[in-house]
């Protein structure tokens, strides 16, 4: 049972995740280096040498923390043994109630420049040619399985927890299941993005065995037709069959619907059809990223702020699709413009490492050097990208709730100091919509 856990120990913290129940724990502080010992033996006797490192004035508190940690891990192990899903919580130390373990891990990683999330573009090849796609070249097949195995070992060594497999379309690759199995066997929590059209019942069964953390399927239409938007015949009937099978096999599925001028007037039907497939989590997003080769026809599909207010807002009201704006950062002018590269990186099909999928600043080449060398210098490479250099963001009311998306700004304006207007419109729309709706409810 313990072998199935994803466990990471950092300098002064530890994270535990169970892929089956998706329960997790985050422990930060002096006692975090005892986590592995308690996982292996809940009755583990803390050696005297540990206590000798604790100053006398903290001994009583640390002894309480150790006992609390032992009982917390014991309860955690009982839950996963019974396959009980629960609302996971962080270890409560020093009498304080903590946030969820995932949010605690994220905050810790951002503060300490600890990479915990990696996106791997398995290939740039795809069975579609979507008008809104950010890729400008579909020719790259991707890294070999052997290269990806080497990278997996390096990712684990630096403390990565979550690995997202994306593309292009990852199921273009015949070895995708084998590669994902390699990563599962090394103890990563796996995520997957796909358009879902190339799946089959047998592939879905194999995915179920991988115990995914999240499986996101993009939906580009709800009819079978020759689509001018996907550039290929779109077989929604096949996708619907695959979605039903994914639901039946209880994979952690979420559907992503890109909202633009092409479908804004048909969202009610989208929602009804997708709910009819048994899916509980459907996310509608009007944010359309620019093509990596430069702004192209994808921007013509973007909704204006007026269209968002007049058409998208009423739809979100119907489906109760609003969510509480969450603080992305503190308003620190000398802080990073965004957190890309701090707690996350992306790896493209050529082995080039970037801060994230949208921020195409090369940090290094994994075919030429080890990941630890690339990670070590990223802070220096990202130093120029400070919030204070984006005057519009610094003076914005919602600066704490927006990531400013440096990558989108660079592609659209040639410089990151002038933010993307589309990014501003979408961020402001969500912020204003939530609080406008809140006022109406009062």
């Amino acid at each position: 049972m313990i072998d199935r856990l994803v466990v990471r120990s950092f300098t002064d913290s530890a994270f535990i995740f169970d892929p089956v129940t998706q329960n997790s724990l985050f422990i930060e502080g002096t006692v975090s280096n005892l986590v592995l010992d308690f996982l292996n033996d809940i009755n583990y006797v803390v050696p005297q040498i540990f206590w000798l490192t604790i100053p006398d004035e903290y001994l009583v508190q640390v002894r309480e923390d150790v006992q609390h940690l032992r009982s917390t891990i014991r309860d955690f192990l009982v839950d996963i043994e019974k396959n009980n899903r629960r609302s996971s919580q962080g270890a409560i130390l020093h009498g304080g109630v903590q946030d969820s373990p995932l949010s605690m891990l994220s905050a810790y990683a951002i503060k300490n420049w600890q990479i915990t999330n990696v996106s791997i573009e398995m290939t740039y090849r795809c069975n579609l040619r979507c008008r809104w796609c950010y890729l400008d070249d579909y020719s790259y097949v991707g890294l070999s399985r052997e290269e990806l195995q080497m990278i997996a070992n390096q990712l684990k060594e630096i403390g990565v927890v979550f690995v997202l497999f994306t593309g292009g379309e990852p199921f273009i690759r015949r070895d995708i299941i084998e590669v994902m199995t390699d990563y599962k066997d090394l103890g990563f929590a796996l995520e997957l993005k796909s358009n879902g059209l190339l799946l089959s019942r047998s592939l879905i069964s194999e995915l179920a065995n991988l115990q995914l953390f999240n499986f996101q399927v993009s939906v580009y239409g709800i009819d079978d037709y020759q689509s001018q938007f996907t550039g290929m015949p779109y077989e929604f009937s096949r996708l619907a069959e695959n979605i039903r099978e994914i639901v039946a096999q209880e994979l952690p599925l979420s559907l992503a619907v890109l909202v633009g001028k092409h479908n804004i007037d048909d969202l009610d039907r989208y929602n009804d059809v997708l709910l009819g497939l048994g899916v509980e989590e459907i996310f509608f997003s009007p944010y359309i990223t620019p093509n990596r080769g430069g702004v192209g026809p994808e921007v013509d599909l973007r909704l204006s702020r007026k269209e968002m207010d007049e058409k998208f807002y009423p739809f979100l009201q119907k489906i109760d699709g609003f969510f509480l704006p969450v603080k992305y950062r503190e308003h620190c002018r000398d802080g990073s413009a965004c957190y890309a590269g701090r707690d996350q990186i992306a790896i493209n099909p050529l082995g080039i490492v970037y801060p994230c999928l949208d921020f195409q600043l090369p940090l290094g080449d994994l075919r030429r050097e080890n990941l630890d060398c690339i990670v070590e210098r990223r802070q220096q490479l990202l130093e120029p990208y400070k919030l204070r250099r984006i005057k519009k963001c610094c003076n914005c009311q919602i600066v704490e709730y927006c990531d400013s998306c440096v990558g989108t700004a660079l592609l659209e304006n040639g410089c990151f100091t002038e933010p993307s207007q589309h990014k501003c419109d979408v961020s402001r729309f969500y912020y204003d919509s939530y609080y406008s709706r809140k006022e109406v409810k009062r």
Side-chain angles (χ1 to χ4, degrees):
M1 179 182 65
I2 294 178
D3 292 341
R4 81 189 193 196
L5 298 179
V6 177
V7 183
R8 296 291 184 272
S9 293
F10 308 111
T11 304
D12 55 354
S13 67
F15 180 74
I16 311 168
F17 174 75
D18 176 34
V20 176
T21 63
Q22 299 210 350
N23 293 342
S24 56
L25 284 175
F26 180 83
I27 299 95
E28 186 173 9
T30 306
V31 301
S32 63
N33 57 5
L34 298 174
V35 166
L36 288 175
D37 296 314
F38 286 154
L39 282 175
N40 290 320
D41 179 6
I42 200 63
N43 297 312
Y44 173 77
V45 177
V46 180
Q48 187 62 27
I49 192 171
F50 173 85
W51 299 112
L52 292 175
T53 64
I54 309 299
D56 290 344
E57 61 267 33
Y58 298 118
L59 266 176
V60 172
Q61 182 62 67
V62 173
R63 287 186 186 279
E64 291 179 1
D65 288 347
V66 168
Q67 288 305 111
H68 182 78
L69 177 62
R70 191 191 304 273
S71 63
T72 298
I73 292 180
R74 179 185 289 113
D75 292 343
F76 180 84
L77 293 175
V78 168
D79 277 339
I80 66 172
E81 185 175 9
K82 295 180 178 178
N83 281 338
N84 291 335
R85 288 180 180 264
R86 62 177 174 136
S87 178
S88 299
Q89 58 185 347
I92 302 172
L93 303 178
H94 310 307
V97 178
Q98 303 288 355
D99 294 328
S100 73
L102 289 177
S103 63
M104 292 170 67
L105 174 66
S106 176
Y108 175 88
I110 290 170
K111 178 182 178 181
N112 294 281
W113 288 78
Q114 171 60 56
I115 296 173
T116 55
N117 294 268
V118 171
S119 299
I120 299 179
E121 294 178 302
M122 290 292 293
T123 180
Y124 279 164
R125 291 187 175 181
C126 187
N127 54 315
L128 300 176
R129 292 293 183 271
C130 298
R131 188 173 168 185
W132 48 77
C133 184
Y134 58 77
L135 295 179
D136 61 334
D137 189 337
Y138 297 91
S139 62
Y140 297 124
V141 177
L143 298 166
S144 69
R145 181 181 176 185
E146 290 71 25
E147 288 174 316
L148 289 164
Q149 287 172 330
M150 176 193 69
I151 291 171
N153 286 304
Q154 295 182 43
L155 292 175
K156 186 170 184 179
E157 188 173 327
I158 67 169
V160 170
V161 180
F162 299 97
V163 177
L164 167 67
F165 296 92
T166 183
E169 171 50 47
F171 285 96
I172 286 282
R173 289 189 56 147
R174 295 182 178 180
D175 63 352
I176 179 64
I177 296 295
E178 287 78 8
V179 171
M180 294 180 71
T181 300
D182 292 337
Y183 277 70
K184 177 182 180 294
D185 291 344
L186 273 175
F188 292 98
L190 308 183
E191 301 180 76
L192 177 63
K193 279 188 179 181
S194 168
N195 61 43
L197 291 166
L198 300 181
L199 294 173
S200 63
R201 183 183 295 268
S202 60
L203 276 174
I204 294 169
S205 294
E206 292 182 280
L207 289 175
N209 292 330
L210 291 173
Q211 299 164 346
L212 299 178
F213 173 63
N214 181 47
F215 184 13
Q216 184 183 106
V217 173
S218 300
V219 179
Y220 300 134
I222 50 174
D223 298 295
D224 290 346
Y225 65 128
Q226 177 67 41
S227 172
Q228 61 175 312
F229 300 108
T230 62
M232 299 280 183
Y234 192 75
E235 298 180 81
F236 177 72
S237 57
R238 180 175 181 176
L239 176 60
E241 181 180 339
N242 290 336
I243 290 173
R244 290 190 186 95
E245 184 62 26
I246 294 170
V247 172
Q249 298 207 32
E250 299 183 341
L251 276 74
L253 175 66
S254 62
L255 300 184
V257 179
L258 193 71
V259 178
K261 295 182 187 296
H262 62 295
N263 63 359
I264 184 62
D265 295 317
D266 206 19
L267 295 186
D268 287 328
R269 196 163 72 94
Y270 269 75
N271 195 53
D272 291 342
V273 169
L274 297 179
L275 286 175
L277 299 177
V279 182
E280 295 182 358
E281 186 175 343
I282 307 170
F283 182 63
F284 295 85
S285 173
Y287 184 49
I288 299 178
T289 55
N291 189 279
R292 289 178 182 172
V295 174
E298 72 281 348
V299 300
D300 296 333
L301 296 175
R302 291 174 172 174
L303 300 178
S304 66
R305 175 60 197 272
K306 182 179 180 182
E307 288 172 314
M308 291 182 210
D309 289 337
E310 295 181 354
K311 294 184 176 183
F312 193 44
Y313 179 84
F315 169 72
L316 292 180
Q317 278 187 310
K318 288 181 185 178
I319 67 169
D320 194 22
F322 298 97
F323 52 87
L324 174 68
V326 176
K327 272 195 176 184
Y328 176 76
R329 60 185 167 204
E330 297 297 327
H331 187 182
C332 175
R333 294 176 64 91
D334 288 324
S336 302
C338 71
Y339 292 143
R342 291 185 69 144
D343 64 332
Q344 63 176 305
I345 54 172
I347 303 170
N348 82 356
L350 295 175
I352 308 299
V353 179
Y354 297 99
C356 76
L357 291 172
D358 293 329
F359 188 6
Q360 295 288 291
L361 172 72
L363 301 178
D365 184 347
L366 286 169
R367 283 175 163 170
R368 296 176 180 271
E369 57 186 327
N370 287 333
L371 182 60
D372 55 356
C373 297
I374 296 172
V375 167
E376 187 175 346
R377 66 166 173 267
R378 72 201 147 103
Q379 196 165 348
Q380 180 181 356
L381 292 174
L382 291 167
E383 175 63 26
Y385 298 92
K386 296 292 188 182
L387 180 62
R388 57 179 161 77
R389 298 186 62 190
I390 314 177
K391 293 182 179 178
K392 184 176 179 180
C393 291
C394 285
N395 298 323
C396 180
Q397 174 193 0
I398 66 168
V399 61
E400 295 179 316
Y401 299 89
C402 175
D403 61 18
S404 303
C405 200
V406 169
T408 300
L410 285 169
L411 287 172
E412 293 189 7
N413 303 318
C415 64
F416 81 95
T417 55
E418 181 64 32
S420 161
Q421 185 59 51
H422 179 59
K423 175 67 177 180
C424 294
D425 287 344
V426 172
S427 298
R428 173 69 72 173
F429 167 77
Y430 278 114
Y431 183 88
D432 291 346
S433 295
Y434 177 83
Y435 284 109
S436 296
R437 182 169 177 268
K438 189 175 179 182
E439 290 297 324
V440 169
K441 281 192 168 185
R442 287 180 180 174

